[in-house]
Amino acid sequence: INADLSLNAELHVAGDVSFNGNAFLGGIVQVPTGQYNYTVSFGNSPSTTQLGSTFTGGSNTRLGRGISISDDGTIIAIGSPGQSSVGKVQVYEYNSGTNSWSQLGSDMTDSTSGTSFGRAVALSGDGTIVGITTASGNKVYVYQYSSGSWSLLGSVISTTVWGENITMSNDGTKVAVGHITSPTAGGV
């Protein structure tokens, strides 16, 4: 789920649902004010419970522009493509004992200024592999989590399209990247 809800793009809503359907990661970006709020909820509508604290990004970070959730809803990836004009992605794991989210490994970034790293993100089913796109530079990064850190899996993938959207197979071995070139055309 990823949509601009107003004609002047002042409100952007994004979300993802876990495979088992019990967890929802979603939020609202208010573009003019720079307010970014994302929450994870668990349960079946209309009765849901927020898991942990609300994720809130600073002005112009665009926190949550790219988001993804693991199959069981316990691991989330959040892209902040406006962070420090470079962008970053953070992955968190939920601890039900403390009702809190803990970051897995360090921030993932692209050192090239202006690439909007984290424009779109996709997690494998178990949350140990993450695919990340840039909004410019036409690159796709795939990282794997092991022994407390994220490592680039293979080489950076150069594409002929910029990464408006990304999806990943459940086992993390395949990615598809999509883009919109105009209101009536696009590509994968």
Side-chain angles (χ1 to χ4, degrees):
I1 302 169
N2 200 341
D4 289 321
L5 293 182
S6 62
L7 294 175
N8 57 2
E10 290 184 359
L11 187 64
H12 177 84
V13 175
D16 197 8
V17 178
S18 64
F19 182 75
N20 64 16
N22 288 330
F24 173 75
L25 166 62
I28 296 174
V29 176
Q30 298 172 353
V31 176
T33 64
Q35 184 65 42
Y36 304 85
N37 294 303
Y38 280 81
T39 61
V40 180
S41 299
F42 183 80
N44 294 314
S45 188
S47 176
T48 60
T49 302
Q50 181 172 328
L51 302 180
S53 300
T54 299
F55 291 88
T56 302
S59 180
N60 298 320
T61 62
R62 298 194 323 253
L63 176 126
R65 184 62 180 91
I67 58 174
S68 187
I69 192 167
S70 65
D71 283 355
D72 67 1
T74 61
I75 297 176
I76 59 173
I78 301 178
S80 300
Q83 182 71 39
S84 302
S85 77
V86 175
K88 72 177 179 181
V89 172
Q90 297 170 306
V91 179
Y92 293 90
E93 184 172 34
Y94 181 68
N95 181 324
S96 60
T98 61
N99 189 33
S100 63
W101 294 95
S102 299
Q103 187 171 351
L104 295 178
S106 300
D107 296 353
M108 290 166 274
T109 64
D110 174 2
S111 60
T112 308
S113 182
T115 59
S116 295
F117 182 86
R119 173 75 168 88
V121 298
L123 281 171
S124 61
D126 66 2
T128 61
I129 300 175
V130 62
I132 304 166
T133 69
T134 60
S136 61
N138 303 345
K139 296 178 184 174
V140 177
Y141 297 76
V142 180
Y143 288 90
Q144 185 168 28
Y145 186 73
S146 179
S147 302
S149 64
W150 292 97
S151 300
L152 190 62
L153 190 59
S155 301
V156 175
I157 302 166
S158 295
T159 68
T160 57
V161 299
W162 55 274
E164 177 74 23
N165 295 297
I166 186 171
T167 190
M168 178 177 283
S169 62
N170 197 53
D171 64 2
T173 60
K174 297 175 183 70
V175 295
V177 179
H179 73 110
I180 299 171
T181 56
S182 72
T184 60
V188 176

